Amino acid sequence: MNANQELLQKLRRQRLRMGEDDLPAPVVPEPSSHTPTRMVQERHQGDLQSKLNRQRQRMGEASQPEKEKPEKHQAQTQPVEAHVKVKQRAMSFLGGHATSGPSGVKPGRINLCSWEDKCRAPGKPTYTKRLKEVVDADLMPTGLQSGANLATINEERRIRQGQTAVRSKDAEACHASAETEHVEASPEHGDAPLDAMYPEEEGPLGKENYVQSAEAESGQAKDDTEDVTAKSRKVREAECFFMWDSDDDTCSLQEDPISERQSARNKEAEEPLEFSMLDYLAELPEGVAEKLHNCLKTHEELVRRLCQRNDLLRAHIRNLRREASEVRSAPFTPSNFIARSPRSPQSQAALQSSRAAAESRQKRQPVETKIEVTTATPDRARFRDEQHEANLRARLQRTIRASRERVQAMQRRVQREEIQVKHRFEAALHTRDGLEKSIKAALKEQGVARVRIGELEEAMNIEAMKYRAKEKERDQLLEKQNAMRNEIKAGPPEQSIETSAKGATHPGSAMRSGGALDGLWRKAKLHKCSEDVQDAQFCPALDASKSPNDHNRYRLIELNNGIQALLVSNLDQKKQKAACSCCVQVGSFSDPSLCQGLAHYCEHMIFLGSKKYPGEAEFEEFLSENAGESNAYTECEYTCFYFHVNCKALHKALDMFSQIFHQPLFTPDASSRELQAIESEFQKKRRSDSVRAETLFASFASPGHPWRLFGWGNLQSLDKEPKEQGVELHSELQRFFAEQYKACRMRLCIFGIEDLDALESAVFKSFGAVSPSPSSQLDFSHHGLPLEEQELPKLVRARPIRDGHTLWMSWQLPPQMQHYQSKPESYLSSLIGDEGHGSILSYLKDEGWASELTAGAGGDNFSHSSNSMIFTVEIDLTDKGVSNWTQVARTVFQYLEMLRQYPRGGLPAYLHEERKQIAQMSFQFMQEKDPSDLVIDLSERMLPIYHHEPQHLLTAPWMYTEFREDLVRSLLDDMTPRKCFFMLMSSSYGRAGVADDTSGSEATEESEKRSDVGPSVLDNLFDQSEPQVESRFGTEFWVSTIEETLLEEWESAQLPALHVPSPNKFIATDFTISQEVAPVDELSSDLPPSTVAGFPVMSGRLLPTPCLLKNETEGPKLWHLPCGLRFSQPRSLLSLGITSPHCVFDSSNVRKEVLLELLSACLQDSLNETFYTASKAKLHCSFNDTSYGLSLRAGGFSQKLLQLVETMIQGLWLKSFAQDRFHSQWEELCRTYRNAWLKPQVHCAQLRKLLLLPTVSKPSQREAELSTCTFSELYDFLGEFYQKVDCKLLISGNTSKDEASRWVETSLANQLVMEKVDVPDWDVVQLDPRTAAVWLQPAIDNTQSNSAIEIYFQLPGRDSWAWNKDMARRRVLLSLLEDMMYEPLYDELRTKQQLGYSVGCCLRDTFGVQGFSIYVLSALQRPPALLRSIERFLQDFARQLREWPAEKFTSHIVGMGGRLLEPKRTMAEFHDACWSEISFGHPTFDRTERATALLGTVQSSELVDLFEKYIAPGGSGRACIVTAVVPAVTGEDSGALCSALGDGLGLAGLQVTSVSNETSFRSSHKLFCRRT
């Protein structure tokens, strides 16, 4: 019966159980006495009897009469009859007559425990035990343990298959006696392929002699065979019926002694798992039931085959024992030996023919002659007999030796078979356990689902009623609003209007800006969760409006406490990362005037423990253990908190995250310590020119405007000033949180790989605990524009920290966030910020006045707020541009006037349509975002200040409705010279506290001239008076008025060279996706299996291997990776590496390094107009310099990408590059060198590189070389560079293989002369063990208070170019150490000791040399104290690492493994990972998979040993470099600081040396061997 028939019968029984009509039962015939089983058995009995008679005739014996043995026959046939009864009962059950079976049988019930017990065969000797009994040395002689005569068994099988005659009762009785002599496979099991399991072998025992030897076996052997045969048949009967077993095992097999012993043995065992297979099968999807049935049948067949094979082995060995006993006991005669000698059928036939010939000759000769010959030569005959006997004996000895060898081989084979049987049996039990668990889980889920369906149906009805009631109530409110509007038009008193409006407001509604009802969320039909119902409805327009490439599902809900949440579900189980963001509509605009910076301070404090999770670092430690982290930032009108974590830990993380908004601790101790963190952050930001300029701009706002509040906060504003006014900070913090952090102001977004229902349930359980509050939203629109119009225009000059000149031209405009669908400010920013031909920047570059220009309102809350929009044009000026800054401003105003002169309705609408077209194709082929970025963006869009309709949450950034020229003109009308705020920040006015470079390099003559130039030389309008000082950041500035003549000049200027952009020729129109797909390689077979519980399983390769299309000696090496279809993207990416021998073999030449950087900058500038036009069409191109040449990168929609790259290749020679443009890039590169070490942390890291890498130079050295470089020298260098080059190229995405090859041959190969270049390896300094080098330098900015320190630990050995398993394992250990150390280090040094704002650790790989760094930036402590704190932490961490619980260690490994196996989300990630391997020169594309596999085998002892040996204080292999940068403080001797640093390390027993310069240090140390 096949699976479909069985399922039909089970379905019929299910319908009977459910009370439905029965299906028609199939007609099953009654089994007769001549069933196929009985017929085959009778035929086989007759065959054996005939064979036995023929053998006896050949031996000269009389045939024995066939005798009836009624008792024996009855005993032998009884199991067969019992089997027939069993089969009748089963067939009756299948036919629907379940009542005819034994009592207590329950149809459709399966007992899996009985199946397991059957497999284990209780009451029957195991294979090992039985085999031991047979081959024991006491029972048979060693050397005669030959293989069983399987030829005889196979012959019996062939006879059973070929003959069909029915035997008589006599033959049947004879066969019953023969069954005691050999074991036969049961017919119910079918014809098993015995030849396949045991191939026929020739041995010393012949086929015919097998029956003879079997007849001579002792009676004990017969009894054993009968017992085995009976047991085998009873086991087979259980096999036949076990699928229809009842609840009581003894009921189905009442006559089976094995089952009785089995029941007795399992009397006290666990209750067998019983379930309704029909209940389970009825709920399974189509096809799954049949697969489950086939799986059970396969296990049944396996057990049957194992039993059959065991019977054959016993018969085999029993035959060997009988024949060995017979040979040992029988007297030796030639006739006996000949009779027992094995013969093939051919040899037997030859022997019979020879005997017949001899007999015929004897008949022809007289008897007398025969006697005469015999008697005549008795001695000769005796001699022949003796010789013949000797030959026979020798033959016997050879046969015995052969038998011994065959027996030994059989023993080995039996052992192998026994091991295989054991493994298969264990696999069967394992599969059975898995089936048990799956079935239990399925039944449990089924029950839960049924209950949930009922609850949901009831809840949906209730919610439908509530919704109808709310709709009715909303209609009533709208009617009241309309009545109020009519009253307003009629002009009632203002007081009565306010009173009516308050009365019309719904208690649960939220207020928008201007006092309008927040009906947007109600329009989206949001489901408001009640206490009993945790389900929600889809937002009707949300999923329908998402991008076709967006595979997420969305649901918008509102909890009953007022929190609105957007759930994002992605069911791709390969993803490992989940994320959550919560935006609270309260920011620095809400700071009290006496505690400025309180909102920022509250953001810091809120993470430091809650009532449910009181540990200050408990949340961060949990995230760190699960590959996650958290952060937050404070804007003007809102604060955003977010985290990401491994998807398995999302629910616990959500609960911990929600508690900080429900019941944060705000302990006094943590409050005082966190003030130091605020101060450290302030000290770090106060050296940023952009932050200083923004704060200076805000200081000119009107009194009382929230712009004037100091949002950053520091010790002065949060500690000193409140104390002077009698304000207690901790109480003010608690009050601020209680008043401002309301549930109705929270907007939540969660991303997970669970379904939406599970995410909603998690949100309800976690954030449902946040206390509800009356609905109230903050609104700052009533404050109006920040600047007083009568104070404009205004010019402010300021001193920067960096070397450079920047002009800001800003206009305050009405807020535009409500116009997100038409985006009028975006239209203006695209025109003013254009960089193509005819643009403002193009004109300024041609004049040599500017190098960069940006325009727009920015994306932060400072520029886009509810009270204003700040539109700013930012221009980076050259020295020449500073002198002509008024002409630069004149150019901007002329462009604005040109736009205003367009007639009404005449502004170029095609520019808007182009932006709309580009936005549409970007949205259609949207690329997947990182979960953290996604939830942050969505939670911000949900805030009321942005006025986004719910159905537009997914589409708002890409929405471009009709062109609103009226809105554009309203902005243009306000962007005049008389309403502009000018800020000119230039180093020509002096730099704020920047000292001369004391690193030892000499200043060039041109640098000295530049430093001597006064500010009046560059800016003729500057009045050199005493500067004012901004109170918070200490910025020095001058305020000036703009003369009327200059304003009139700006208003009347005419520049015909300016015009709007032409139509964009790079916009793609063909979005066909190539069907070419890169083959996915299999995982390497040598990856070690994981030994860590819960470690993620690698289901396949993370990256396909790119195909190498071209690898010519004199041509480019082309790699191709088609992946457009994989991401459904018509985009492509291209990376080109150009290596020149002119740079490779002279890498220590600083001048060539400078010329290469200058060439890269000039190439980028020469093609900038083309690049910018292409970038607006989503095609991006760039040049960059590398260690040995240039790199070119391009990407975007594939239709016109290669055309753009061809333009880049043609521009490599700078054929029409102007000298003024060259001077601008030369000047910009000089400033880059001067500003390189302004940040102490960057300065500190570069000192380490100077000591380790001999080819690295200082910025001052590069500036000195650049100062003498000329325009003609650059062209000479360019010609030498391109003389011969080596090119590596990777094209990935939607470009076909043929198209890529053709483009390389026609466009690239014709432009460059190529030859293969072998890139030499970098030299790296090798540190000696147990030594430490200390290098201290003063900071470039001598007014800043930050000290930076970095400790670098170098590990011995250097990695090879090819994959090195040992070095890779150590790299994995260092990465794991970074993951485990980062959070404890941050908590101890930053949170508890408050040493600095920036604290961390990281792995360092210096061209194959592995290392580990710890760094601290502190405004409170100097390097000696910082070093001692780090050393104490390392000592404590070594102890913690040894005592770390195994579960915590495992969680870090599992979390890190999930992070490594996170799938690549975008085509760019694919491309970058492959290009990193190709540019490395020795690609290993499965590097991540190999490293992850090694991570799964890491033991905690390995990590402890590595840390204690190379990093911990006192380690035997510790070798380190300490670099430090300190403020230049008067009276502080650097030698004393180095001594203090040395003392700090000396405690650990290291030999400390002080570094004076990098050259002497390099020369005193050996170098690592270069990689080959």
Side-chain angles (χ1 to χ4, degrees), residues 115 118-119 242 293-304 427-429 431-432 435:
W115 175 57
K118 177 191 72 59
C119 293
F242 86 98
H293 171 79
N294 293 338
C295 182
L296 294 175
K297 284 296 185 182
T298 301
H299 294 153
E300 178 185 359
E301 177 66 17
L302 176 61
V303 174
R304 183 189 68 77
L429 292 180
T431 306
R432 174 257 186 190
L435 288 174

Side-chain angles (χ1 to χ4, degrees), residues 10 411 423 694 699 726 734 737 831 1043 1263 1271 1285 1371:
K10 295 171 183 178
Q411 287 178 335
H423 289 172
E694 182 181 281
S699 66
Q734 293 177 324
F737 178 83
L831 289 175
E1043 297 180 359
E1263 183 185 358
F1271 187 58
V1285 295
R1371 181 185 177 89

Side-chain angles (χ1 to χ4, degrees), residues 50 256 263 310 420 484 555 576 579 689 710 740 797 939 979 1007 1011 1031 1120 1200 1265 1290 1309 1517:
S50 299
D256 191 355
S263 300
N310 191 33
Q420 293 178 3
M484 290 167 56
R555 178 180 292 175
Q576 304 288 332
D689 282 337
F710 176 45
Q740 303 295 345
R797 293 179 176 90
S939 61
K979 295 184 178 181
S1007 300
S1011 63
S1031 60
H1120 180 245
K1200 301 182 180 181
E1265 292 291 342
L1290 171 64

